[in-house]
């Protein structure tokens, strides 16, 4: 009887660990930056509601692998005494995390997350502002996360890497020294003057005369013309018409049935492009949080802002955390995107034309 109870308890604990496993992933906000510039390193944790995050190792911020330096080290050191060479990088900002003690570990009191929920999944995220001083490929690895579910402690040590390419500045080529020897100075050979020596001056004179004649002919021609100049009218297509046309085209493709990641990327790109054209904010090159902060200054209701934020956060969940929401969410978000554009479109009031005009 005791053996049966032990087997049941073992199966129960195993099922808890499998069901409550924390999915840890990281990603760079951009694929390429220039040497010395700043970039955000995004940390994502996909958990259940009852999961408690205890600690997150901070060593992954100081252990960015420099592909360029590693290759140089391996070429010089035939013993291969080291496996990797770490990049020269610094943490400019820790996002929502704080540092009470510099012990290389973020404890429960130092952790603070950006939290979003989709169905039964919870996405915890934080962004670290980094500055990289090594050129070439830079690789970041997942941190070790300790967490608790129903009183049981677990450790997530998933092996996931995110590459970033740091573009070096353009080198100015050093000009090589001229290898030609200096020839001795020769005497000047004088030639007799002939008509060909005056040909450039003659051509210049006739060119000036022709230009003046053309100018006076053109001025007289303009005076004889009585037709009014034709004004070019530039047709500007409103931002909401562009967005609605693209959204309907994406909806007809039915990409969410075959490629969810591409569908969400195109959907959020259309929404970001509309926000940039409509409210003149750099939505295509900023994060979701920065877009929400900028759009809150506009005359929009909290419900409209919340719908837009939810659409962008789900796209982040699919792109970085590799989440797979239910299929009906994609069609629902398409309808919400169409509704958002309709509700926020700019209404142009044309002036009234009176009989006197």
């Amino acid at each position: 009887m005791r053996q049966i109870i032990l087997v049941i308890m073992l199966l129960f604990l195993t099922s808890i660990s499998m069901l409550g496993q924390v999915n840890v992933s990281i990603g760079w906000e951009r694929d390429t930056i220039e040497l010395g510039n700043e970039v955000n390193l995004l940390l994502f944790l996909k958990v259940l509601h009852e999961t408690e995050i205890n600690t997150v190792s901070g060593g992954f911020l100081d252990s960015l692998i420099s592909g360029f330096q590693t290759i140089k080290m391996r070429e010089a050191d035939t013993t291969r005494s080291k496996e990797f060479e770490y990049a020269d990088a610094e943490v400019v900002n820790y996002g929502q995390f704080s540092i009470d003690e510099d012990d290389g570990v973020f404890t429960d009191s130092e952790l603070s997350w950006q939290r979003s929920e989709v169905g039964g999944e919870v996405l915890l995220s934080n962004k670290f502002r980094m500055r990289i001083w090594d050129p070439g490929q830079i690789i970041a690895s997942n941190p070790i996360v300790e967490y608790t579910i129903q009183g049981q402690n677990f450790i997530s040590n998933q092996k996931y890497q995110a590459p970033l390419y740091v573009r070096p500045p353009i080198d100015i080529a050093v000009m090589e020294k001229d290898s030609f020897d200096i020839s001795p100075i020769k005497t000047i050979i004088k030639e007799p003057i002939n008509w060909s020596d005056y040909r450039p001056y003659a051509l210049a004179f006739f060119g000036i005369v022709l230009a003046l004649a053309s100018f006076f002919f053109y001025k007289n021609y303009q005076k004889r013309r009585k037709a009014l100049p034709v004004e070019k009218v530039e047709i500007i297509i409103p931002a909401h018409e562009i967005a609605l046309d693209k959204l309907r085209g994406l909806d007809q493709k039915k990409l969410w049935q075959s490629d969810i990641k591409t569908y969400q990327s195109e959907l959020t790109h259309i929404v970001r492009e509309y926000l940039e054209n409509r409210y003149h904010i750099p939505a295509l090159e900023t994060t979701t949080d920065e877009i929400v902060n900028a759009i809150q200054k506009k005359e929009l209701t909290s419900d409209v802002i919340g719908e837009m934020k939810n659409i962008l956060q789900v796209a982040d969940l699919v792109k970085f955390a590799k989440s797979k929401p239910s299929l009906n969410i994609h069609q629902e978000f398409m309808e919400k995107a169409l509704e958002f554009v309709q509700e926020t479109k700019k209404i142009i009031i044309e002036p009234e034309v009176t009989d006197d005009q």
Side-chain angles (χ1 to χ4, degrees):
M1 183 66 179
R2 179 179 297 177
Q3 294 179 349
I4 296 175
I5 294 176
L6 290 176
V7 172
I8 294 174
M9 291 179 64
L10 181 60
L11 292 174
F12 176 75
L13 293 176
T14 303
S15 63
I16 290 177
S17 63
M18 292 179 63
L19 292 174
Q21 184 178 8
V22 172
N23 187 0
V24 182
S25 61
I26 58 175
W28 297 98
E29 189 179 45
R30 299 181 181 177
D31 298 328
T32 304
I33 63 169
E34 191 169 336
L35 183 69
N37 286 358
E38 297 180 2
V39 63
N40 287 333
L41 178 60
L42 309 176
L43 172 62
F44 294 90
L45 273 65
K46 186 169 65 175
V47 303
L48 298 178
H49 288 277
E50 61 270 21
T51 304
E52 297 179 4
I53 307 301
N54 300 327
T55 62
V56 175
S57 65
F60 75 103
L61 297 174
D62 303 323
S63 304
L64 303 180
I65 299 173
S66 173
F68 179 74
Q69 295 297 334
T70 298
I71 293 174
K72 288 180 61 179
M73 177 191 69
R74 290 181 176 177
E75 290 176 349
D77 184 13
T78 58
T79 63
R80 306 292 192 268
S81 59
K82 295 182 180 180
E83 186 177 4
F84 298 109
E85 181 72 13
Y86 295 123
D88 183 9
E90 62 175 313
V91 184
V92 180
N93 188 279
Y94 288 89
Q96 297 187 199
F97 287 11
S98 61
I99 302 179
D100 299 332
E101 296 181 5
D102 190 10
D103 53 1
V105 177
F106 296 101
T107 60
D108 181 46
S109 60
E110 298 170 333
L111 298 176
S112 179
W113 303 93
Q114 177 71 29
R115 185 185 181 96
S116 58
E117 300 182 13
V118 177
E121 296 179 331
V122 178
L123 179 66
L124 305 178
S125 61
N126 187 47
K127 60 182 179 181
F128 304 89
R129 194 69 174 175
M130 309 291 295
R131 183 181 285 115
I132 312 296
W133 297 105
D134 273 356
Q137 188 182 51
I138 306 298
I139 301 175
S141 302
N142 273 11
I144 299 174
V145 178
E146 297 183 6
Y147 59 97
T148 302
I149 299 178
Q150 298 181 0
Q152 297 291 326
N153 295 327
F154 303 92
I155 297 178
S156 175
N157 190 13
Q158 301 170 348
K159 303 298 182 182
Y160 181 84
Q161 294 182 335
L164 169 70
Y165 183 77
V166 180
R167 183 176 61 251
I170 300 175
D171 295 329
I172 300 176
V174 178
M175 299 181 63
E176 297 182 355
K177 184 179 179 181
D178 191 359
S179 59
F180 293 102
D181 294 331
I182 299 176
S183 301
I185 300 176
K186 297 181 179 180
T187 58
I188 300 175
I189 301 175
K190 296 183 178 181
E191 294 182 354
I193 300 175
N194 53 42
W195 69 271
S196 61
D197 296 329
Y198 299 98
R199 183 168 54 186
Y201 304 98
L203 292 175
F205 174 77
F206 286 113
I208 294 173
V209 172
L210 181 61
L212 291 174
S214 300
F215 174 76
F216 287 112
F217 175 81
Y218 177 76
K219 294 295 292 183
N220 292 331
Y221 174 75
Q222 288 293 328
K223 291 180 180 179
R224 291 195 299 268
R225 291 187 60 184
K226 296 182 180 180
L228 296 176
V230 179
E231 297 181 358
K232 295 183 179 180
V233 179
E234 182 180 359
I235 301 176
I236 301 176
I237 303 176
H240 68 274
E241 292 185 9
I242 297 175
L244 291 174
D245 184 64
K246 290 185 177 181
L247 286 172
R248 294 185 183 113
L250 177 61
D251 188 32
Q252 292 177 358
K253 293 180 182 178
K254 301 296 182 181
L255 276 179
W256 56 267
Q257 297 180 356
S258 58
D259 191 348
I260 295 176
K261 184 176 180 180
T262 302
Y263 175 82
Q264 287 291 343
S265 298
E266 291 190 17
L267 177 62
T268 54
H269 180 82
I270 295 172
V271 174
R272 287 171 178 264
E273 183 184 58
Y274 169 72
L275 292 173
E276 186 163 317
N277 295 335
R278 173 66 176 86
Y279 297 105
H280 307 291
I281 61 175
L284 291 173
E285 299 179 1
T286 54
T287 62
T288 299
D289 295 337
E290 293 170 343
I291 292 175
V292 173
N293 292 335
I295 208 68
Q296 284 177 347
K297 301 176 182 179
K298 309 297 180 181
E299 296 180 358
L300 296 175
T301 64
S302 58
D303 292 338
V304 173
I305 296 175
E307 294 291 347
M308 179 204 66
K309 180 181 179 182
N310 195 19
I311 293 173
L312 298 179
Q313 284 181 339
V314 169
D316 290 342
L317 185 66
V318 173
K319 180 178 180 181
F320 295 105
K322 299 180 180 178
S323 176
K324 294 183 178 179
S326 59
L327 294 179
N328 59 346
I329 285 181
H330 305 296
Q331 187 61 34
E332 178 184 349
F333 280 5
M334 172 60 70
E335 296 174 1
K336 288 183 178 180
L338 290 169
E339 183 179 355
F340 173 78
V341 174
Q342 290 285 6
E343 291 181 359
T344 59
K345 67 181 181 181
K346 185 176 181 179
I347 300 176
I348 301 176
I349 302 176
E350 298 182 355
E352 296 182 358
V353 179
T354 61
D355 295 335
D356 294 337
Q357 295 177 342

